[in-house]
């Protein structure tokens, strides 16, 4: 049976040719392959002597002998050099096999089969190299046929997947890989076979026979062609990259954890709020580190309990907060934060589910309670209580050797369980968060104390003033900012006058609040002296500078003190001086004259809004041009004051910079917004305050805001009695007559006797010790005030008269019979005043007061 050799057979590679020699020793047949080998056509070769045609001259004699032997019936095999026709003198070597034959007539002839030795040697080299590469390769090597079955496998592949290399012939990738990976591999083989495009580094995962551990391979595929260029299959080389994969995953995990810790350093602790700091921790870790997380903090810490640990649990082991103060280790905790990447359900842990904001306790034998007691991280694998979770890290939050709570990191089923590297990362994250949480706790405690101090120093309730309608607002900074030193005050002065004060201590925190309290107290003390506004600020500046200087033993470091001590003292002094710098505006309003005297120490200018004329549109507020002066505590510069007449119904606004100053807009824009917001002073004053705060972009929380507003009402004309008295003795009687005539018109008959007596004493003193004309003024508002003016600057003083003295008892009488009395300087002299409370309806009259004071009156005469 005859077979045809397809293209790409072995004969295409070894270049086998044939020709025949006739009885005459000449070529009588020449094959097509001989034409290719020798480069001669049949017409050129037939009829020629092969020895003469192909062999070099020096070998021809031997060649003729061999041909003769062959024609005599002898076979011969050997190497014969030949000249390649048309080859430019090139020579080749052919392996020839000569077989004697006979012609049809019985004559002897020969059939010659010729092989190019160069092609044979090349094939031998290629086979040896192929065998070495395929058989000795340290990588798994497979040759797939066009039907994607294994045609050949090398020894390395068989070592991994078992059996001899020959046993793998005919198998497919489904015999080695899981279904999904086998489908990927088959698709890749099919694509390479169809397109000829190679595939490099195809990652395949599977387990070797008899092993449950997955291995990772990198597969390279390329198409294999025959000699004619026809695809005959796909070659595949597989490299085990399991270690490389694990190392890469380990490196990726380390990089991920470093990035996580770096992110935690930037994002955790940006707020001084406990709950916000806990949420920042979970924002960093979910879902980058875990799938669910929760933070629990001790309830006592959240409520501001500052009990510190007094008894350690063991060497190097932190304790629970407040344990030395009698609080049990199972102190209640509150869940302050929870985050989940897979579910919104609360993370239950050991016990019932806990929601954010809920207070709870962990069972004594639970891993959480154990972690809190020992301050050591606990790893919990699985758990029947929560079928969703497969691995949990319970990490106590330890700051400054105090356990402040714990954080739970959980991974759900399908995620990689926590390992030792994860434990170290969790501990580091918790440590950073714990320090920030403890700082927030300490800040909250100081902030609350400063806020309590600050609010305790503000005027209680709604301040009242004669001739003024008062409204005020105070908005402290939120928990994210420290308490500032803003304050305001409304101080009643003699003569129904009122001092309006707004100030701002530079700096924040408890020290700023304390400084504010000291300055506010100093202002009230100075106000009792009834000084002019500029004098009050001058004295207050001295007080502020005194507060900023050191004193006591610490401040008496002499020449013998160390340089370090002096440097530390200098630094502390600089800090205190900065804290006690302050701005302040001090205004005194007289309801009788409706004039306001204002002095400013580096503060925001007051705003005056005059009432609009009938039918005219509202006018924006006017910034009063009060010389600003230097802030309190700087010293060296005098303060100036201005006097402004306030029309009836006008609105005066004093405020701190938090109302108009912001990082988002310039100060001029804030002042313009305030003036426009105050443009309608007719509406109720409380509504005006709310309108200002709601209209302005105050960025509340960045700074404290104090706003003090006063609407001018003035005392009615019929509530004022004002008379000039000549400097003569009869003026005393005239003063009594004026008082006796005025009080019944006000319905104060019950105060006639007392008022007449005290007015007589003050006018008598003015005649005896004063100068110039005498002025008598009676003012009626919430109390009755009597003022006697003269031109002498000398201040009267109260003294105790001896038994033999005929005088010296007038001021004693004033002090005993009045609710209060005092003196103050004026531009042209001094004023002596006393104040009487108005009788309550149906209450005690003047006779009762006189009777009540009888023993005191007798005591003045021994």
């Amino acid at each position: 049976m005859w077979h045809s050799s397809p293209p790409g057979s072995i004969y295409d590679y070894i270049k086998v040719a044939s020709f025949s020699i006739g009885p005459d020793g000449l070529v009588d047949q020449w094959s097509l392959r001989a034409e290719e080998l020798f480069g001669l056509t049949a017409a050129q070769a037939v009829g020629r002597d092969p020895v003469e045609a192909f062999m070099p001259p020096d070998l021809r004699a031997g060649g003729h002998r061999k041909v003769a032997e062959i024609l005599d019936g002898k076979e011969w095999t050997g190497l014969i050099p030949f000249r390649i026709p048309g080859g430019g003198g090139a020579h080749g070597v052919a392996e020839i096999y000569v077989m004697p034959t006979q012609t049809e007539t019985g004559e002897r002839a020969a059939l010659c089969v010729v092989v190019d030795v160069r092609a044979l040697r090349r094939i031998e080299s290629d086979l040896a190299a192929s065998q070495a590469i395929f058989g000795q390769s340290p990588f798994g090597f497979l040759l797939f046929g066009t039907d994607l079955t294994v045609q050949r496998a090398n020894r390395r592949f068989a070592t991994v997947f078992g059996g001899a290399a020959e046993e793998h012939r005919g198998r497919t990738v489904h015999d080695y890989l899981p279904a999904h990976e086998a489908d990927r591999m088959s698709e890749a083989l099919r694509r390479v076979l169809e397109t000829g495009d190679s595939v490099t580094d195809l990652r395949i995962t599977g387990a070797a026979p008899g092993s449950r551990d997955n291995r990772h391979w990198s597969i390279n595929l390329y198409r294999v062609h025959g000699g004619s260029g026809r695809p005959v299959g796909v070659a595949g080389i597989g490299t085990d990259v399991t270690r490389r994969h694990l190392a890469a995953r380990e490196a990726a995990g380390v990089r991920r954890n470093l990035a996580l810790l770096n992110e935690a350093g930037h994002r955790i602790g940006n707020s001084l709020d406990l709950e916000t700091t806990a949420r920042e921790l979970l924002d960093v870790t979910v879902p980058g580190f875990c799938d669910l997380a929760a933070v629990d903090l001790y309830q006592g810490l959240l409520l501001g309990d500052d009990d510190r640990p007094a008894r350690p649990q063991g060497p190097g082991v932190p304790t629970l907060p407040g344990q030395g103060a009698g609080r049990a280790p199972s102190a209640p905790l509150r869940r302050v934060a929870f985050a989940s990447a897979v579910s919104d359900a609360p993370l239950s842990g050991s016990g019932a589910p806990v929601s954010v904001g809920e207070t709870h306790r962990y069972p004594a034998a639970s891993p959480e309670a154990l972690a809190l007691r020992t301050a050591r991280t606990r790893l919990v694998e699985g758990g029947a209580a929560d079928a969703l979770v497969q691995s949990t890290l319970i990490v106590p939050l330890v700051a400054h050797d105090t356990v402040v709570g714990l954080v739970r990191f959980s991974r759900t089923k399908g995620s990689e369980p926590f390992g030792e590297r994860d434990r170290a990362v969790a501990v580091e994250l918790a440590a950073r968060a714990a320090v920030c949480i403890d700082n927030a706790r300490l800040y909250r405690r100081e902030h609350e104390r400063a806020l309590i101090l600050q609010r305790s120093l503000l005027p209680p309730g709604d301040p009242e003033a004669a001739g003024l309608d008062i409204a005020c607002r105070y908005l402290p900074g939120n928990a994210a900012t420290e308490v500032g030193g803003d304050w305001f005050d409304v101080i009643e002065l003699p003569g129904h006058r009122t001092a309006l004060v707004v100030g701002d201590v530079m700096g924040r925190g408890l020290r700023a609040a304390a400084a504010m309290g000291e300055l506010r107290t100093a202002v009230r003390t100075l106000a009792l002296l009834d000084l002019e506004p500029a004098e009050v600020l001058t004295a207050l500046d001295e007080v502020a500078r005194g507060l900023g200087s050191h004193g006591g033993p610490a401040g008496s470091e002499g020449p013998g003190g160390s340089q370090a001590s002096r440097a530390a003292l200098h630094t502390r002094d600089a800090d205190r001086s900065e804290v006690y710098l302050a701005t302040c505006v001090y205004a005194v309003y007289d309801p009788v004259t409706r004039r306001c005297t204002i002095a400013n120490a580096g503060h925001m200018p007051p705003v005056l809004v005059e009432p609009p004329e009938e039918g005219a549109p509202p006018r924006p507020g006017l910034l009063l041009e009060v010389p600003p002066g230097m802030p309190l505590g700087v010293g060296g510069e005098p303060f100036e004051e201005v006097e402004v007449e306030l029309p009836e119904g006008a609105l005066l606004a004093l405020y701190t910079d938090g109302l108009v100053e912001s990082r988002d807009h310039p100060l001029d824009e804030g002042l313009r917004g305030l003036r426009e917001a105050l443009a309608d002073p007719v509406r109720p004053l409380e509504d005006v305050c709310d309108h200002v705060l709601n209209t302005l972009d105050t960025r509340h929380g960045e700074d404290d805001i104090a706003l003090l507003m006063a609407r001018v009402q003035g005392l009615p004309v019929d509530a004022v009695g004002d008379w000039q008295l000549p400097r003569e003795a009869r003026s005393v009687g005239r003063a009594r007559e004026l008082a006796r005539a005025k009080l019944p018109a006000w319905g104060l008959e019950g105060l006639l006797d007392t008022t007449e007596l005290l007015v007589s004493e003050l006018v008598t003193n003015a005649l005896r010790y004063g100068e110039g004309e005498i002025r008598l003024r009676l003012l009626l508002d919430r109390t009755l005030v009597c003022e006697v003016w003269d031109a002498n600057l000398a201040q009267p003083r109260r003294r105790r008269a001896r038994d033999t003295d005929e005088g010296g008892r007038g001021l004693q009488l004033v002090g005993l019979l009045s609710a209060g009395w005092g003196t103050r300087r004026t531009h042209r002299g001094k004023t002596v005043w006393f104040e009487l409370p108005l009788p309550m309806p149906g209450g005690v009259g003047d006779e009762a007061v006189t009777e009540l004071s009888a023993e005191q009156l007798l005591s003045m005469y021994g």
Side-chain angles (χ1 to χ4, degrees):
M1 183 179 296
W2 293 90
H3 296 276
S4 62
S5 177
S9 67
I10 187 62
Y11 300 105
D12 293 330
Y13 292 98
I14 63 177
K15 296 183 179 180
V16 178
S18 65
F19 63 91
S20 62
I21 302 174
D24 57 359
L26 302 178
V27 176
D28 62 358
Q29 289 185 358
W30 192 257
S31 68
L32 294 177
R33 289 188 180 272
E35 290 184 4
E36 296 177 4
L37 178 62
F38 295 106
L40 296 174
T41 64
Q44 294 172 326
V46 174
R48 296 183 65 180
D49 185 346
V51 175
E52 295 293 334
F54 303 110
M55 296 188 65
D58 55 337
L59 297 178
R60 290 173 182 173
H64 285 299
R65 288 194 301 270
K66 288 295 182 182
V67 172
E69 292 176 359
I70 292 170
L71 293 176
D72 287 341
K74 184 178 180 180
E75 293 185 2
W76 181 79
T77 302
L79 299 175
I80 298 178
F82 64 92
R83 185 179 66 254
I84 301 175
H91 289 74
V93 178
E95 185 175 20
I96 187 170
Y97 177 54
V98 182
M99 296 171 289
T101 62
Q102 290 183 349
T103 64
E104 295 177 357
T105 60
E107 294 178 302
R108 293 184 177 182
L111 176 63
C112 301
V113 178
V114 183
V115 178
D116 189 347
V117 174
R118 294 174 303 171
L120 287 175
R121 298 296 178 266
R122 186 167 60 249
I123 292 173
E124 289 175 355
S125 298
D126 290 347
L127 288 174
S130 175
Q131 182 61 31
I133 294 174
F134 194 86
Q136 301 174 23
S137 172
F139 309 111
F141 206 120
L142 287 176
L143 181 61
F144 296 90
T146 54
D147 58 353
L148 303 186
T149 61
V150 177
Q151 299 297 311
R152 188 177 180 186
N154 70 345
R155 211 168 29 245
R156 175 60 181 168
F157 183 84
T159 301
V160 175
F161 287 92
E166 294 76 11
E167 297 176 4
H168 293 275
R169 186 183 301 273
R171 294 184 181 180
T172 67
V173 293
H174 287 83
D175 297 320
Y176 306 105
L177 300 174
H180 65 284
E181 292 287 64
D183 291 340
R184 289 181 58 228
M185 183 73 173
S186 297
E187 179 61 28
L189 288 170
R190 189 175 297 105
R191 186 169 61 253
V192 172
L193 187 61
E194 292 175 355
T195 65
D197 296 334
S198 300
V199 172
T200 58
D201 198 23
L202 174 64
R203 294 302 178 95
I204 297 295
T205 303
S211 174
R212 300 180 61 181
D213 296 332
N214 276 335
R215 310 292 295 177
H216 299 267
W217 291 285
S218 174
I219 306 297
N220 297 315
L221 304 174
Y222 59 93
R223 190 168 68 181
V224 179
H225 301 83
S228 62
R230 181 178 57 87
V232 296
V234 177
I237 302 174
T239 306
D240 190 337
V241 294
T242 303
R243 292 185 178 179
R244 188 193 311 169
H245 174 79
L246 295 177
R249 188 172 66 176
E250 183 76 14
V254 172
R255 288 193 298 270
R256 183 176 62 252
N257 290 338
L258 288 176
L260 185 70
L261 293 176
N262 182 62
E263 183 182 8
H266 287 87
R267 295 181 58 183
I268 299 177
N270 294 323
S271 169
L272 288 174
D273 179 73
L274 286 167
E275 291 81 359
T276 302
T277 303
R279 288 194 298 270
E280 290 171 346
L281 171 62
L282 301 194
D283 290 341
V284 171
T285 55
V286 179
F289 180 71
C290 61
D291 300 317
L292 301 96
V295 177
D296 297 327
L297 299 179
Y298 278 109
Q299 176 77 347
L301 297 179
L302 295 170
L303 297 178
D305 187 355
D306 192 34
D307 293 339
R308 306 301 293 173
R311 183 175 64 254
Q313 298 286 331
V317 178
T319 62
L320 297 178
Q323 192 171 11
R327 203 159 52 186
S330 59
L333 299 103
R334 186 197 304 172
R335 178 145 298 172
V336 295
F338 170 76
S340 171
V342 295
S343 174
D344 293 331
L347 187 61
S348 60
S350 300
V354 180
S355 301
V356 174
E358 184 177 345
T359 303
H360 66 102
R361 283 184 172 88
Y362 286 110
S366 65
E368 292 84 356
L370 184 60
L372 289 172
R373 285 197 298 269
T374 62
R376 300 190 184 280
T377 302
R378 308 286 296 178
L379 175 61
V380 179
E381 298 290 351
D386 195 342
L388 180 66
V389 174
Q390 73 157 344
S391 182
T392 298
L393 277 171
I394 304 170
V395 188
L397 295 169
V398 182
H400 307 115
D401 294 330
T402 302
V403 178
V404 299
L406 63 81
V407 56
R408 290 169 47 89
F409 301 112
S410 297
R411 289 181 179 173
T412 58
K413 294 180 179 179
S415 299
E416 183 179 0
F418 288 114
E420 287 302 317
R421 184 181 67 248
D422 298 319
R423 180 195 291 260
V425 172
V427 171
E428 177 65 21
L429 289 171
R432 295 188 182 192
V435 172
C436 295
I437 288 174
D438 196 53
N439 289 340
R441 177 185 67 84
L442 295 175
Y443 168 77
R444 173 180 287 186
R445 182 190 64 186
E446 180 177 344
H447 182 274
E448 290 176 350
R449 292 179 178 179
L451 194 58
I452 292 173
L453 173 62
Q454 189 178 42
R455 286 176 172 170
S456 68
L457 296 173
L458 295 174
D462 296 327
E464 295 182 357
L468 291 176
D469 183 13
I470 301 291
C472 54
R473 294 289 186 274
Y474 173 72
L475 301 178
N478 58 29
T481 60
E482 294 186 78
V483 172
D486 293 16
W487 91 91
F488 69 91
D489 208 346
V490 178
I491 307 172
E492 294 187 40
L493 299 178
H496 291 313
R497 295 171 303 126
T498 303
L500 304 175
V501 189
V502 171
D504 184 3
V505 176
M506 298 182 185
R508 294 184 175 277
L510 189 59
R511 295 183 64 191
M516 177 270 287
E518 294 178 88
L519 291 178
R520 178 181 180 273
T521 302
V523 170
R524 279 193 160 265
T525 302
L526 293 170
L528 294 178
L529 300 177
D530 212 352
L531 303 175
E532 296 296 326
E535 294 177 331
V536 170
L537 293 185
T538 300
L540 195 62
D541 178 65
E542 295 292 335
V543 173
R545 282 191 287 168
L547 293 175
S549 63
H550 63 277
S556 58
E557 185 71 41
S562 68
Q563 183 177 358
S565 299
R566 290 193 295 271
L569 182 61
H570 175 74
T571 302
R572 185 181 62 198
D573 293 345
D575 292 342
R576 288 176 59 84
S577 297
E578 181 180 359
V579 168
Y580 287 112
L581 288 177
T583 63
C584 180
V585 61
Y586 186 91
V588 175
Y589 171 69
D590 188 340
V592 178
T593 62
R594 291 202 303 272
R595 303 189 68 83
C596 185
T597 307
I598 308 173
N600 191 352
H603 201 78
M604 295 285 106
V607 177
L608 175 64
V609 185
E610 296 183 356
E613 298 179 0
E614 187 175 356
R619 290 178 290 183
L622 173 67
L623 295 177
L624 295 181
E625 296 181 0
V626 181
M630 298 297 291
L632 302 175
V634 175
E637 293 292 333
F639 296 99
E640 299 181 39
E641 61 186 37
V642 296
E643 191 174 64
V644 181
E645 186 170 353
L646 305 180
E648 187 75 17
L651 189 64
L652 183 67
L654 308 179
Y655 52 94
T656 55
D657 56 2
L659 183 66
V660 295
E661 196 172 30
S662 172
R663 291 174 293 183
D664 299 333
H665 56 73
L667 177 61
D668 291 344
E669 183 178 334
L671 291 173
R672 184 170 59 253
L674 174 61
R675 293 170 55 205
E676 294 174 354
L678 292 171
D680 185 10
V682 179
R683 70 174 70 184
L685 202 55
E686 294 292 336
D687 294 344
V688 175
C689 284
D690 295 336
H691 176 70
V692 169
L693 296 177
N694 294 332
T695 302
L696 295 182
D697 184 14
T698 61
R699 290 291 191 271
H700 176 227
E702 294 181 0
D703 195 3
D704 293 358
I705 295 175
L707 174 63
L708 177 61
M709 305 184 69
R711 175 173 287 139
V712 175
Q713 294 176 339
L715 287 181
V717 177
D718 58 359
V720 178
D722 195 349
W723 305 278
Q724 295 287 343
L725 300 176
R727 190 169 188 79
E728 53 189 35
R730 61 188 181 90
S731 293
V732 177
R734 176 60 179 164
R736 288 197 297 267
E737 293 175 1
L738 293 172
R740 182 169 290 277
K742 192 66 175 177
L743 263 60
W746 290 342
L748 300 179
E749 292 84 354
L751 297 180
L752 277 176
D753 294 340
T754 303
T755 304
E756 184 179 1
L757 174 61
L758 298 185
V759 165
S760 175
E761 291 293 336
L762 293 186
V763 174
T764 300
N765 283 345
L767 285 173
R768 181 176 298 178
Y769 306 109
E771 298 176 0
E773 287 189 344
I774 300 171
R775 181 181 179 185
L776 172 65
R777 191 164 73 169
L778 295 177
L779 308 175
L780 175 63
D781 193 70
R782 289 171 297 167
T783 60
L784 175 65
V785 174
C786 174
E787 297 177 335
V788 176
W789 307 44
D790 70 78
N792 191 348
L793 294 175
Q795 299 289 312
R797 62 184 182 88
R798 181 178 177 181
R799 62 184 179 85
R800 186 173 187 84
R802 295 187 295 270
D803 296 344
T804 57
D805 290 342
E806 296 182 359
R809 298 178 179 83
L811 292 182
Q812 293 188 50
L813 282 172
V814 173
L816 290 173
L817 296 179
S818 67
W821 76 280
T823 66
R824 70 174 184 275
R825 289 186 178 180
T826 64
H827 294 294
R828 295 188 178 90
K830 68 176 181 296
T831 300
V832 184
W833 59 271
F834 67 83
E835 185 177 19
L836 295 175
L838 301 182
M840 298 296 294
V844 181
D846 183 56
E847 294 180 359
V849 173
T850 306
E851 183 179 347
L852 181 65
S853 305
E855 294 183 3
Q856 295 173 317
L857 291 173
L858 293 175
S859 67
M860 293 189 299
Y861 297 93

